[in-house]
Amino acid sequence: MQQNFSTSLVDFIMRNATKNYLHLHSSDLTMLPKAQEAESKNYLLYMHIPFCATLCTYCSFNRFLFNANKARAYFENLRKEMQMVKNLGYDFNAVYVGGGTTSIMPDELCRTLDLAKSLFNIKEVSCESDPNHLQKDILESFKGRIDRLSVGVQSFDDGILKKIGRYEKFGSGEEVYAKLANAIGILPILNVDLIFNFPNQTQAMLAKDLELLKSLKPNQITTYPLMSSPSVKSILKRSIGEVSLKNEAQLYTQILETLNEDFIQLSSWAFSHKGSEIFDEYVVDNDEYIGIGTGSFSFLNGTLYANTFSLKEYAQRIQNGQMSVARERKYSRKAQLQYRLMVELFGGIASAKRFKEQYGATLEKDLFKEIAFLRLSGNIYKKGADYYPTPQGKYLFLSMMKEFYIGMDRVREESRAMLKEEDM
Ligand SMILES: C[S@@+](CC[C@H](N)C(=O)[O-])C[C@H]1O[C@@H](n2cnc3c(N)ncnc32)[C@H](O)[C@@H]1O
Ligand code: SF4
């Protein structure tokens, strides 16, 4: 597998499409629209915790330096916003808590999750974390509250950890390994995030990371290609070197081959250990979601909404009984179908039945050109009425999702550039 003509072309198309489609205009909404009545609606609730003890160089997520007073007030407002969502008539069966460092105040996180469970019919809670918040007492307090904990490791290689500023913060590769080993088995699912294609990362270095992970036997592994979004590009270049796509496909093939024996693939970048309970890929399985907290996104009925990134404005809005939507964009049916086709194939299958039931669409008719291009270029194949990615297609959909994430980072960056000192 290599970075071939179709992946380069699709990368180019995606980069331009995300620039266009993720251009949001300002919104004067004070509340999100009310919930629709349809019984089949499957919403996800996303909550964002934007605080970190120190800020990693490669990270373009929405995060601010931790301050206990600000963070406590933020959690309080998050709970108020959740109540507003309830009053709009929404229900959720899944919650995803993202960061930042979500467990930076475990007691506040637990209170917030308890409120979510009392308001909605929640069956699954997934939460991001980092190696410093895997102490026994914290994990014990998460029991019965969090079903899947996703821990950022990125690499066990000390050289890489030092360059990306994680060595001092989270410890050496060996220390992180020991923290993970103690954490496995306490909560139902432990996922480990790895990043690949760091500049100068060789196949031997990646092989070592993967072997260590295999010996740990986490329930899930997520392997992200290093994303060099505009906001982190120059910092990355200075700290670890220029990001190149030259070896990306080869390293990805190595991941597929190494994990193939012990893991089942859930999406282009997520793998579940054979014998572990399968946990849904939240990006794939929830086509509509509400995001609460600063900088979160919501997608409802064909419209994408982005919340304010300013901590100050967020607090003021919530105190005034308003939600914090700052920008929005409505998409055509065609654009929504194209996006869903990419996401479903990233998740391993474009199901004819699902497209019919969820979107009233016929794959070959409504997405004729897209399906023909993907088939002719060897990226998908048909079995029964459904389409599946070939190994080359898995890499293509990983690249497409990466471009989509970089596009989202661009939205964050535009919004963050407008922040003043007092907004943070
Ligand atoms: C929002 S972060 C939160 C994780 C947690 N705060 C930590 O640092 O361990 C979730 C995951 O996104 C991935 N990530 C962050 N920045 C990335 C980048 N520039 N390229 C690829 N993956 C990235 C990392 O694997 C990280 O674990
Ligand atoms: S990688 Fe994690 S800990 Fe580092 S700044 Fe980003 S969210 Fe915070």
Side-chain angles (χ1 to χ4, degrees):
M1 196 192 311
Q2 43 180 282
Q3 171 88 11
N4 62 17
F5 176 69
S6 70
T7 33
S8 304
L9 178 67
V10 171
D11 269 4
F12 175 78
I13 295 172
M14 277 299 290
R15 195 153 296 185
N16 285 295
T18 50
K19 265 189 195 148
N20 171 22
Y21 281 131
L22 292 176
H23 190 75
L24 312 186
H25 56 80
S26 64
S27 167
D28 45 22
L29 276 189
T30 52
M31 260 313 139
L32 282 171
K34 285 195 173 136
Q36 295 190 316
E37 302 255 312
E39 266 181 35
S40 62
K41 288 263 175 207
N42 227 0
Y43 297 105
L44 168 92
L45 178 64
Y46 175 83
M47 283 186 221
H48 193 75
I49 317 296
F51 301 100
C52 293
T54 56
L55 306 180
C56 305
T57 52
Y58 62 91
C59 174
S60 54
F61 284 81
N62 168 30
R63 77 276 197 268
F64 301 97
L65 218 44
F66 177 65
N67 166 303
N69 290 336
K70 279 188 187 171
R72 221 169 264 292
Y74 180 86
F75 273 105
E76 186 74 31
N77 286 329
L78 209 51
R79 293 190 284 270
K80 288 199 175 113
E81 196 179 14
M82 204 189 295
Q83 187 65 55
M84 293 182 203
V85 172
K86 170 75 181 176
N87 297 344
L88 290 170
Y90 288 94
D91 195 6
F92 304 93
N93 49 24
V95 172
Y96 190 97
V97 192
T101 303
T102 58
S103 38
I104 202 143
M105 286 190 140
D107 58 329
E108 288 287 350
L109 178 62
C110 290
R111 273 183 72 188
T112 310
L113 289 176
D114 289 348
L115 178 67
K117 287 194 171 181
S118 73
L119 293 177
F120 310 114
N121 285 302
I122 290 167
K123 297 190 185 71
E124 284 178 358
V125 176
S126 185
C127 184
E128 290 174 1
S129 189
D130 63 61
N132 282 353
H133 291 89
L134 297 177
Q135 295 99 318
K136 269 235 150 47
D137 55 330
I138 296 185
L139 295 182
E140 287 295 331
S141 74
F142 289 167
K143 264 190 180 171
R145 291 186 165 107
I146 295 175
D147 305 285
R148 174 183 177 271
L149 194 70
S150 179
V151 185
V153 167
Q154 326 317 358
S155 174
F156 293 105
D157 183 286
D158 287 343
I160 292 180
L161 292 177
K162 281 179 188 162
K163 283 182 183 156
I164 61 175
R166 288 182 73 97
Y167 185 91
E168 268 126 63
K169 190 168 171 176
F170 300 116
S172 66
E174 209 174 308
E175 285 163 340
V176 170
Y177 186 97
K179 289 179 191 174
L180 287 166
N182 287 331
I184 287 176
I186 300 181
L187 296 174
I189 294 189
L190 189 103
N191 171 80
V192 174
D193 287 341
L194 208 65
I195 295 181
F196 69 97
N197 196 35
F198 286 106
N200 303 318
Q201 185 182 31
T202 60
Q203 280 190 283
M205 285 157 86
L206 179 62
K208 212 164 160 205
D209 274 350
L210 293 172
E211 282 316 315
L212 282 167
L213 259 191
K214 273 173 73 174
S215 70
L216 255 177
K217 297 198 183 70
N219 311 86
Q220 272 189 11
I221 298 178
T222 307
T223 57
Y224 296 106
L226 180 62
M227 302 178 204
S228 169
S229 41
S231 63
V232 292
K233 204 173 189 143
S234 61
I235 305 176
L236 272 178
K237 195 173 167 184
R238 264 181 278 132
S239 59
I240 188 164
E242 193 146 18
V243 182
S244 149
L245 294 183
K246 202 172 89 226
N247 298 327
E248 189 183 72
Q250 193 186 31
L251 295 173
Y252 182 60
T253 308
Q254 186 184 343
I255 292 173
L256 294 188
E257 285 171 2
T258 313
L259 298 184
N260 178 38
E261 213 174 287
D262 301 346
F263 289 83
I264 296 165
Q265 200 166 0
L266 301 179
S267 74
S268 279
W269 61 38
F271 305 83
S272 174
H273 201 277
K274 286 181 182 163
S276 276
E277 187 192 333
I278 300 277
F279 200 90
D280 290 344
E281 259 287 79
Y282 77 102
V283 206
V284 178
D285 290 301
N286 297 278
D287 42 6
E288 294 201 89
Y289 47 87
I290 285 190
I292 59 173
T294 59
S296 296
F297 293 93
S298 303
F299 189 76
L300 297 169
N301 202 15
T303 301
L304 181 68
Y305 303 90
N307 291 352
T308 175
F309 278 75
S310 155
L311 280 177
K312 188 177 162 202
E313 190 188 346
Y314 177 73
Q316 283 169 344
R317 292 262 213 129
I318 302 295
Q319 293 302 323
N320 290 336
Q322 297 177 351
M323 292 184 82
S324 65
V325 176
R327 298 201 283 163
E328 63 179 288
R329 167 100 185 234
K330 171 99 187 140
Y331 296 97
S332 67
R333 176 176 149 78
K334 179 81 181 184
Q336 288 179 59
L337 288 178
Q338 285 171 331
Y339 171 72
R340 281 316 302 175
L341 181 67
M342 173 191 79
V343 172
E344 310 253 332
L345 286 166
F346 166 82
I349 173 175
S351 147
K353 188 164 170 264
R354 187 169 151 103
F355 265 83
K356 189 94 230 152
E357 285 176 3
Q358 299 272 85
Y359 317 110
T362 308
L363 282 169
E364 282 89 358
K365 223 169 81 196
D366 293 286
L367 291 162
F368 172 76
K369 275 199 255 166
E370 292 78 0
I371 296 280
F373 170 75
L374 290 169
R375 261 185 116 167
L376 287 172
S377 54
N379 286 298
I380 58 171
Y381 65 95
K382 192 174 186 187
K383 202 165 111 194
D386 304 328
Y387 289 92
Y388 299 83
T390 59
Q392 175 189 308
K394 286 181 183 176
Y395 176 58
L396 175 86
F397 298 113
L398 174 110
S399 304
M400 289 175 84
M401 195 54 100
K402 180 182 73 176
E403 284 304 328
F404 182 73
Y405 271 49
I406 291 176
M408 292 296 238
D409 281 346
R410 218 177 285 120
V411 177
R412 291 190 192 104
E413 197 39 39
E414 282 165 16
S415 308
R416 262 200 313 232
M418 291 185 255
L419 296 188
K420 298 187 200 79
E421 191 70 30
E422 69 261 26
D423 290 316
M424 305 200 199

